[in-house]
Amino acid sequence: QDSGPPDEVTEWTIQPCFDNSDAGWASGVLPWADAVEKATEGSVQIEVVPAGSITSGGEAFGAAAAGVTDGVACWATVYGGDMPAGMLAFGLPMGAESPEEAWEVMWGDDYRVGDLVQEAASQRNLYFAGWTNQGPNAMFTTFEVRGLADFEGRKMRAGGPQAMFHEAIGGTPVSMDAGDIYTAIRLGTVDGTYWDTGGVDNMSFDEVIDYAVMPGWNPAQHQSTYVNLDSWNALTEWQQDQINGIFEEVYFETSRMHLDGVDEALQAVEDSGGEVVYLSDEEVGKLRQVAIEEVWPDIADLSDLAAEGVDIYERYMRDNGKL
Amino acid sequence: MSVEILTVVYFACLFISLFLGLPVALGLGGTAAIFALLLEPRALMTLPSAFFSTSWNSILVTVPLFLLMGNLIRFSGIADAAYDAVYKLIGHIAGGLAIGTVQVCTIFAAVTGITPPATITMGQIAYPSMMRYNYDRRIAIGSIAAGGALGALIPPSVPFIFYGLLANASIGDLFLAGVVPGVMLAIFYSVYIGVRCAFQPHLGPPLPAELKFTPREKLNSVLGIWPFVVLIVIVLGVIWGGIATPAEAAAFGATAAVFINLIYRQLSWYVIRESLAATARLAGMGLWILIGATAFLSIFNTLGMQHIITDLVLGMPGGETGILAMMMLIILLLGMVMDDWAIIMLCTPLFLPIIEILEINKIWFGVLFIVNIQMAYLTPPFGFVLFWIRGILPKGVHMGDVYRSVWPFVALQLLGLMLIFMLPEIALWLPNIVD
Amino acid sequence: MSALLKLDRCVDRIADLTGVLAGLLITYCMVLGVVDVFLRYALNSASLWIGPTLQAAMVLIACTAGVYAFKEGTFVRLDVFYDGLSRRTKAILDLLTAGLGLIFLWVLMWKGKEAVELALLLKQTTPTVIPMPLAPIKAAIPISAMLMTIFVIRQIIKDIVTLIGPERPVGSDEAHEVLKAK
Ligand code: NA
Ligand code: NA
């Protein structure tokens, strides 16, 4: 009797920590929701509402945990204070460099970092149900960058792990509202910002910055979808299997969509007279060293599960000759 | 119950409770609470969440700090001296002080991205002075309210930034497009005050003709304005000089006010205590209204009422003009109950697909949107500028006085909106020549 | 009766204390706002701990200043009809609408407490370099709602006294206020 959709339709409301202007909306959470509806043969219906509809972006994770919503799509840079092990799903700075590498360290038989994230989610009454790679989270500057040394003394808007990283490479991180960044760059209050590459054109940053620095400080930034555990447990085993069954397929499909968005954003930077800088292998190596030596230990300090995950990440890097 | 009826009942509950005299903040929050309790109990958690996330928003720190700046200047008595100087300088023009107030608000608008700072500061400084020189209360309140609302239209503008983000429109172009309409409205207000007071001098009495000041007295009076010049230069300077964010600039303004008091030897324990107390009273009132409004909007969305808005727009006859007019009307109506950010967050995603189908210029629509939101700030019964003004003015001033003061200015805003609607060049001229 | 009066004074004193706290928090925001820019601009050093503490201060300002403003009667009402009414009619209307306000405050207390419990469960902190725990800050929300509830209930008691008490001549209310102020 477990091999088909139940008669009763389950309706979920999911509020991400971002609104519908974010790349993660059309290329991340919506395709996942569609895939879930299709895989469950319509027995799970999902309404995705923008941040601010039910609760603010910053409170979205807690709202899903408390059952105010049925789920949340988010970055660990936002919910990191609620679940430090989420950084493992977000992607460690200069860790994986492509969707394939990230998949390997999260779900490959030798590593299974994803299980640690699932455990952390479970402790918070959540189920880790969806994942997508958004491409590089990078530096966008008004000053010329050819290598690590160029960031010395530069004021850049950075939050959470970005700020840890920017300080580690000798810069001065500045915190401000997303809505203030554009004006601040234009006026020179900051010399640039850290941002996810695919969203740079949505924020019109291409109008005010001159350099996009690839592969950024995190070549494979990820967004994760968590479903309230009570909502999840209310599904039949068949529905749960169907949703788990689309995890990998949706991951690679949406990651491709995101990477198209990254290409478009970089094109927008070039179209408005900016330059896309691809750092040399040597400089990328320096960035990686700083990230692993200075930022990874700070992430490991945040929780036991995070520490366990950072250990596995290091083993993965060694196995692949990057450490 | 259908969602249409639910929407009507939801708003009716709010308005009835407010008109029966319940404080606005409690009316907004109470309506949200009771509907969530009856219809969607799991959404109740959004009420404390709205409280936390509204006040956690870092741009909001500008509210208490600009309040403090204004209060420090006001309690020290420096403002009276400076306004006395302004009076000597332009006092021979009927309505001169009110016109001057609009000009200062315009300058303030170029410093801050939101509405409260200019409203709050001028409400505290200009209002008592205008009363001292026997100005009509309505001209005084109207000039402060209308001038203060310019903060969102003249760049930098936080509403434009949020619209630009959601509409995927150039923020730089939006900023440029706001300049001419903003200046145009400021001129409208000034001309209106000047003409009205010329015909009805008792509204803004000019100096008696026999009272003349020597050039030396006038020069001294100009020098007397320096604290204001210093405050504006500091606040404006640290932002446009790329030194501080708008939130940090507010801290500079308040600190500068402390030092100006120190230089004038006015920094008494009394001034500090009273300034802080007045700031706390106003900030507490304003923040709770914002929190209540956020809760009200969250429950509005949770109960699925936002669909009503899309249906209303799409069901509108009269082609492009009809649809645009309907959108403007909806923004105006929502402006009765919501703050600017909430309206932009709610309406932009709903309206934009329609705008794109009709191939309407997004920059132009953005300017119409923000001019409209300015009207929303000022239209009774519910407008954020109205509440700030009412909170700042002495106890004897009633909400009814405020309502009666603003309508000529709302009419001028409507005129401006119509002009921009018929002549899109007013908004698009500047971004076009810059590109 | 004197016990009630004492309680009344005690409640007022608590509200005045929240006013003092709000003043201190506002001063903190002013000083640290300038210090932040100085550290960054003059010394070129990061001060990422300042931002979150300012945000936390704003939440606490909303709580403390809110209670103080409410007690001082600065909460704005649409007094278009309200102000022209007699004391008695006002008292009746206050009683009618107070319920709605109390429901809001009650939800803030009830769900606010749950939000604090959730923050403790999640060990919620700011997602910043130096993590700051959110539970103590969130705890201020139900506490301020509770204090405000006390003021609303006190007003209800006064309204009931107005209703059942003898009709007082116009102006005695103001006279009472003046006397109290002295
Ligand atoms: Na402005
Ligand atoms: Na309005």
Side-chain angles (χ1 to χ4, degrees):
Chain A
Q1 219 46 20
D2 266 350
S3 58
D7 295 334
E8 202 188 330
V9 172
T10 302
E11 288 180 8
W12 280 355
T13 304
I14 289 192
Q15 190 207 269
C17 70
F18 46 84
D19 61 51
N20 44 14
S21 70
D22 192 272
W25 185 269
S27 303
V29 63
L30 287 192
W32 175 83
D34 286 344
V36 167
E37 290 184 359
K38 214 154 92 193
T40 58
E41 294 175 27
S43 65
V44 176
Q45 294 289 324
I46 298 176
E47 191 188 6
V48 184
V49 295
S53 302
I54 294 172
T55 190
S56 75
E59 295 271 277
F61 186 85
V68 176
T69 60
D70 297 294
V72 61
C74 230
W75 307 276
T77 43
V78 176
Y79 66 71
D82 303 354
M83 189 173 89
M87 271 308 293
L88 303 168
F90 179 76
L92 294 188
M94 302 309 291
E97 288 179 284
S98 68
E100 290 72 21
E101 287 186 14
W103 185 268
E104 174 71 14
V105 68
M106 278 286 274
W107 308 108
D109 289 338
D110 294 339
Y111 307 105
R112 304 282 314 169
V113 170
D115 292 342
L116 300 173
V117 179
Q118 191 64 275
E119 193 183 333
S122 177
Q123 288 167 359
R124 288 158 181 82
N125 198 36
L126 292 166
Y127 184 80
F128 181 24
W131 199 42
T132 185
N133 177 350
Q134 299 197 294
N137 193 302
M139 305 74 130
F140 298 87
T141 67
T142 53
F143 56 93
E144 193 176 343
V145 177
R146 299 293 162 206
L148 193 65
D150 296 316
F151 289 100
E152 183 71 42
R154 294 294 185 169
K155 287 185 264 292
M156 287 183 63
R157 196 271 187 182
Q162 297 167 336
M164 292 182 199
F165 182 82
H166 191 61
E167 224 175 353
I169 59 173
T172 307
V174 180
S175 64
M176 66 177 69
D177 272 358
D180 280 336
I181 300 173
Y182 178 94
T183 316
I185 296 176
R186 173 163 260 188
L187 297 176
T189 316
V190 289
D191 306 313
T193 185
Y194 283 68
W195 206 257
D196 88 273
T197 307
V200 160
D201 49 342
N202 301 336
M203 296 292 286
S204 300
F205 292 156
D206 50 312
E207 296 171 17
V208 287
I209 58 103
D210 300 312
Y211 298 91
V213 185
M214 296 293 116
W217 69 285
N218 191 340
Q221 163 195 302
H222 287 74
Q223 192 185 86
S224 308
T225 303
Y226 300 97
V227 172
N228 177 274
L229 202 53
D230 301 327
S231 304
W232 177 257
N233 288 335
L235 300 180
T236 66
E237 206 167 305
W238 177 85
Q239 285 172 315
Q240 293 177 348
D241 289 344
Q242 293 298 104
I243 296 174
N244 285 331
I246 57 148
F247 190 99
E248 181 169 358
E249 179 193 331
V250 172
Y251 173 76
F252 284 104
E253 184 198 324
T254 53
S255 297
R256 257 193 308 279
M257 293 166 75
H258 272 119
L259 293 184
D260 288 345
V262 167
D263 291 341
E264 272 174 42
L266 292 178
Q267 189 59 49
V269 168
E270 286 183 340
D271 289 348
S272 47
E275 183 188 339
V276 181
V277 178
Y278 295 91
L279 295 178
S280 67
D281 287 349
E282 192 196 339
E283 290 298 330
V284 171
K286 283 190 206 163
L287 283 178
R288 188 180 298 129
Q289 196 182 348
V290 170
I292 294 175
E293 283 175 8
E294 312 252 347
V295 186
W296 289 23
D298 285 345
I299 293 170
D301 281 346
L302 293 173
S303 77
D304 292 344
L305 286 170
E308 212 176 312
V310 169
D311 278 349
I312 302 177
Y313 254 94
E314 283 178 357
R315 181 158 57 82
Y316 171 82
M317 298 300 274
R318 267 195 301 277
D319 292 351
N320 288 274
K322 291 181 180 175
L323 190 78
Chain B
M1 196 174 357
S2 80
V3 76
E4 286 82 3
I5 296 173
L6 186 65
T7 309
V8 172
V9 176
Y10 191 64
F11 278 84
C13 178
L14 173 70
F15 284 132
I16 291 170
S17 69
L18 294 191
F19 277 110
L20 293 183
L22 187 65
V24 175
L26 298 186
L28 285 161
T31 304
I34 198 160
F35 276 75
L37 206 57
L38 296 174
L39 300 168
E40 191 73 52
R42 76 172 186 168
L44 283 171
M45 192 67 148
T46 54
L47 270 68
S49 179
F51 193 120
F52 178 78
S53 53
T54 303
S55 38
W56 187 259
N57 185 343
S58 55
I59 192 76
L60 263 194
V61 78
T62 50
V63 169
L65 293 180
F66 277 123
L67 279 169
L68 181 60
M69 178 178 94
N71 278 318
L72 281 166
I73 291 294
R74 184 164 65 103
F75 278 102
S76 66
I78 299 169
D80 294 336
Y83 245 81
D84 180 64
V86 177
Y87 187 67
K88 282 178 185 159
L89 210 63
I90 53 172
H92 58 279
I93 307 168
L97 285 183
I99 295 172
T101 301
V102 171
Q103 313 299 348
V104 176
C105 282
T106 311
I107 297 169
F108 238 106
V111 184
T112 56
I114 52 176
T115 308
T119 316
I120 289 165
T121 312
M122 296 314 282
Q124 293 174 103
I125 293 170
Y127 182 79
S129 304
M130 285 192 262
M131 290 301 100
R132 200 147 65 88
Y133 293 110
N134 297 319
Y135 268 58
D136 181 73
R137 186 182 272 175
R138 292 185 204 172
I139 284 284
I141 296 173
S143 64
I144 295 166
L150 289 173
L153 184 58
I154 294 174
S157 154
V158 173
F160 268 144
I161 288 175
F162 280 118
Y163 172 80
L165 298 185
L166 289 166
N168 203 1
S170 156
I171 293 164
D173 284 354
L174 284 167
F175 277 8
L176 286 172
V179 173
V180 176
V183 172
M184 180 181 83
L185 283 178
I187 293 172
F188 283 4
Y189 303 153
S190 304
V191 169
Y192 162 74
I193 296 167
V195 170
R196 181 116 195 250
C197 292
F199 284 101
Q200 296 169 290
H202 62 279
L203 298 178
L207 276 175
E210 63 275 11
L211 198 61
K212 285 214 166 61
F213 298 103
T214 63
R216 191 183 173 78
E217 278 175 310
K218 284 189 179 177
L219 182 70
N220 280 339
S221 73
V222 173
L223 296 178
I225 308 174
W226 76 263
F228 288 94
V229 178
V230 165
L231 280 182
I232 289 169
V233 165
I234 284 180
V235 172
L236 199 139
V238 293
I239 295 177
W240 289 96
I243 295 167
T245 64
E248 294 160 343
F252 273 83
T255 309
V258 171
F259 280 102
I260 287 170
N261 276 335
L262 204 64
I263 293 166
Y264 268 93
R265 295 170 189 278
Q266 293 287 343
L267 195 67
S268 64
W269 177 236
Y270 170 82
V271 168
I272 295 171
R273 199 187 54 206
E274 289 305 308
S275 303
L276 283 171
T279 303
R281 283 195 296 271
L282 286 168
M285 179 278 292
L287 288 170
W288 273 70
I289 292 183
L290 266 177
I291 290 161
T294 309
F296 185 84
L297 180 71
S298 291
I299 300 303
F300 177 86
N301 284 335
T302 305
L303 298 176
M305 293 187 267
Q306 74 273 46
H307 298 300
I308 301 287
I309 294 168
T310 330
D311 295 348
L312 259 177
V313 172
L314 291 174
M316 194 63 198
E320 189 181 311
T321 312
I323 288 176
L324 269 174
M326 192 65 214
M327 289 188 205
M328 291 298 135
L329 188 65
I330 287 172
I331 294 168
L332 194 62
L333 290 176
L334 289 178
M336 291 179 165
V337 286
M338 290 173 193
D339 74 331
D340 52 347
W341 296 0
I343 300 172
I344 290 168
M345 295 299 187
L346 180 66
C347 290
T348 312
L350 296 177
F351 289 172
L352 219 77
I354 305 168
I355 292 297
E356 275 168 355
I357 291 169
L358 297 176
E359 293 184 350
I360 292 168
N361 185 312
K362 280 196 269 187
I363 303 293
W364 176 60
F365 183 73
V367 173
L368 289 175
F369 199 149
I370 305 300
V371 171
N372 204 337
I373 280 184
Q374 304 227 335
M375 290 175 65
Y377 286 144
L378 293 194
T379 42
F382 197 107
F384 271 79
V385 168
L386 303 177
F387 295 141
W388 282 119
I389 292 261
R390 173 64 187 78
I392 286 157
L393 300 185
K395 279 236 153 73
V397 182
H398 297 290
M399 211 64 211
D401 297 316
V402 178
Y403 289 167
R404 279 187 291 275
S405 312
V406 293
W407 74 262
F409 294 91
V410 172
L412 290 173
Q413 290 175 325
L414 187 62
L415 175 67
L417 186 70
M418 301 283 217
L419 283 175
I420 300 165
F421 188 80
M422 288 184 292
L423 301 167
E425 294 79 24
I426 295 172
L428 299 179
W429 172 72
L430 196 57
N432 283 342
I433 60 163
V434 171
D435 278 349
Chain C
M1 197 64 201
S2 90
L4 264 179
L5 262 176
K6 254 183 200 159
L7 190 70
D8 196 55
R9 289 231 177 95
C10 176
V11 168
D12 274 339
R13 212 161 285 160
I14 291 173
D16 290 338
L17 189 69
T18 61
V20 173
L21 278 174
L24 291 173
L25 288 161
I26 292 164
T27 311
Y28 176 85
C29 291
M30 180 185 85
V31 174
L32 270 289
V34 173
V35 167
D36 197 4
V37 176
F38 179 76
L39 287 176
R40 180 175 81 231
Y41 203 77
L43 305 183
N44 219 1
S45 75
S47 49
L48 288 167
W49 58 274
I50 292 180
T53 63
L54 289 178
Q55 288 172 292
M58 278 307 293
V59 177
L60 298 179
I61 287 173
C63 292
T64 52
V67 171
Y68 178 63
F70 192 80
K71 178 249 174 184
E72 295 279 299
T74 2
F75 265 47
V76 171
R77 305 165 187 261
L78 302 190
D79 48 18
V80 186
F81 305 130
Y82 188 82
D83 264 7
L85 304 171
S86 72
R87 273 174 57 85
R88 257 171 191 279
T89 322
K90 274 187 189 172
I92 294 172
L93 291 183
D94 281 351
L95 286 175
L96 283 175
T97 55
L100 199 61
L102 282 175
I103 288 173
F104 177 44
L105 295 171
W106 171 60
V107 172
L108 282 182
M109 282 187 278
W110 166 35
K111 289 291 160 181
K113 182 174 152 279
E114 285 184 17
V116 175
E117 287 163 358
L118 183 69
L120 288 171
L121 175 80
L122 295 178
K123 297 194 189 68
Q124 256 184 345
T125 63
T126 53
T128 47
V129 181
I130 303 160
M132 179 167 58
L134 294 185
I137 302 160
K138 289 189 171 180
I141 296 171
I143 293 170
S144 69
M146 189 185 73
L147 289 174
M148 216 176 271
T149 304
I150 293 172
F151 288 113
V152 174
I153 291 173
R154 183 168 75 168
Q155 188 58 44
I156 289 177
I157 294 170
K158 283 185 181 167
D159 286 336
I160 293 173
V161 170
T162 307
L163 280 180
I164 59 176
E167 188 84 49
R168 281 200 278 169
V170 182
S172 69
D173 192 26
E174 286 73 17
H176 177 71
E177 292 290 320
V178 171
L179 283 175
K180 218 177 89 184
K182 290 184 175 166

